[in-house]
Amino acid sequence: MASQQLRAQAVPRSPEVQQPNWKQQFEETWELGRRGVPLPQAPDWKSLCERKPFERNLLQSPNPEGVNISEPAPSLPPNSPRAPLESLGNFSGWAISTEQLPPKAGVRKPGSGDPCFSWCIKEQRVDLLSEGLWEELLDSYQPNITVMDWYEDSRLAEVVYKLDARLLAADGQTSLQEFHHEGPEDGKSQEKKNWCHVAHVFHDYGPGVRYVHFQHRSLDAETPGWRRTRVTDSSVSVQLRD
């Protein structure tokens, strides 16, 4: 019996595993106290650390076609047929639709013939609470919400791109603040590689914002092949103010 007790006492204890202090990690990363950011009620700090709600692009598939703004958008082959947009990349998260334009709708015709113009419409609605933000933050502190996009100056018309961004209330319908852009604003791109950049920061938008609706339209033409206006690196992100 005594030998058994001695053997039991000789067994070393496993060192206790120290659990991460998720709240401390989140505070050290984002400095909520210094910025005067109200804390969420009953927060899951581990989930907040893992979700990284700030500075992250909240849109899905922001570059679905894989085009690079450091290079011109790849040229389409002559007389290329019209193909479903979904077949050209990973467009998960985007709702896609087409708006046909009436003939001679005031747009400049590319070359000869009578092209058929249409808008390719892609949109997403970002649920800010689901992305890790919280009501007290959005209603009281009101962090900056930034929307950005890059679009090709395809020269199909004076306006080849439109952006509509809206901050929506909890019902997902009521618009609390909006931003609209058409471009290229001066009729042609002044950017390198024929890419145009658009950005807007929402601030001081008042309480109640729960969603961001992001919609852009790019002009396409069929004459006799298919010509498109490419869009890439779309983003919606939230920033804490310094």
Side-chain angles (χ1 to χ4, degrees):
M1 181 67 70
S3 61
Q4 292 178 352
Q5 293 177 345
L6 289 174
R7 285 196 298 270
Q9 293 174 359
V11 175
R13 294 183 178 180
S14 299
E16 294 183 0
V17 178
Q18 187 175 3
Q19 296 297 322
N21 187 329
W22 296 107
K23 179 180 180 181
Q24 180 179 344
Q25 288 189 22
F26 197 77
E27 170 61 30
E28 289 176 352
T29 301
W30 301 112
E31 299 181 330
L32 305 183
R34 179 181 68 82
R35 291 184 164 102
V37 177
L39 300 181
Q41 297 182 12
D44 182 348
W45 293 108
K46 180 176 183 295
S47 177
L48 286 175
C49 285
E50 292 173 344
R51 294 189 71 81
K52 300 178 181 177
F54 306 113
E55 309 292 343
R56 175 172 60 90
N57 190 354
L58 304 180
L59 290 179
Q60 298 182 54
S61 310
N63 184 4
E65 297 185 65
V67 294
N68 191 333
I69 59 173
S70 65
E71 298 294 336
S75 301
L76 297 176
N79 300 325
S80 57
R82 181 173 186 171
L85 191 62
E86 294 88 338
S87 68
L88 303 178
N90 176 17
F91 288 84
S92 58
W94 292 101
I96 303 173
S97 59
T98 300
E99 178 187 343
Q100 297 292 337
L101 296 177
K104 301 180 180 179
V107 293
R108 187 178 69 242
K109 300 178 183 179
S112 59
D114 293 318
C116 297
F117 290 97
S118 60
W119 288 113
C120 176
I121 306 168
K122 302 197 299 295
E123 55 192 315
Q124 291 190 40
R125 192 177 71 174
V126 177
D127 184 336
L128 296 174
L129 298 184
S130 295
E131 295 295 341
L133 304 166
W134 55 95
E135 293 180 354
E136 297 85 354
L137 169 81
L138 294 169
D139 292 343
S140 177
Y141 180 79
Q142 298 174 25
N144 291 339
I145 300 176
T146 301
V147 296
M148 291 195 297
D149 217 359
W150 289 86
Y151 60 94
E152 175 193 12
D153 182 7
S154 59
R155 312 297 172 91
L156 294 178
E158 294 298 325
V159 173
V160 299
Y161 169 91
K162 296 182 180 181
L163 173 64
D164 295 294
R166 293 177 171 86
L167 304 185
L168 304 179
D171 61 3
Q173 301 294 327
T174 303
S175 179
L176 302 178
Q177 200 170 112
E178 301 181 0
F179 170 72
H180 306 284
H181 171 87
E182 295 185 356
E185 292 180 303
D186 59 356
K188 63 178 180 178
S189 170
Q190 298 300 320
E191 303 281 352
K192 295 181 179 179
K193 312 298 184 182
N194 274 9
W195 290 107
C196 303
H197 184 234
V198 56
H200 177 74
V201 180
F202 291 104
H203 58 87
D204 298 327
Y205 40 77
V209 171
R210 297 293 181 267
Y211 299 92
V212 180
H213 184 254
F214 182 100
Q215 180 194 83
H216 58 208
R217 298 168 178 247
S218 52
L219 193 68
D220 296 339
E222 193 167 8
T223 172
W226 188 245
R227 299 180 63 186
R228 299 177 46 239
T229 302
R230 269 65 65 92
V231 185
T232 187
D233 289 350
S234 311
S235 71
V236 171
S237 59
V238 176
Q239 299 82 33
L240 297 171
R241 303 185 304 274
D242 287 326

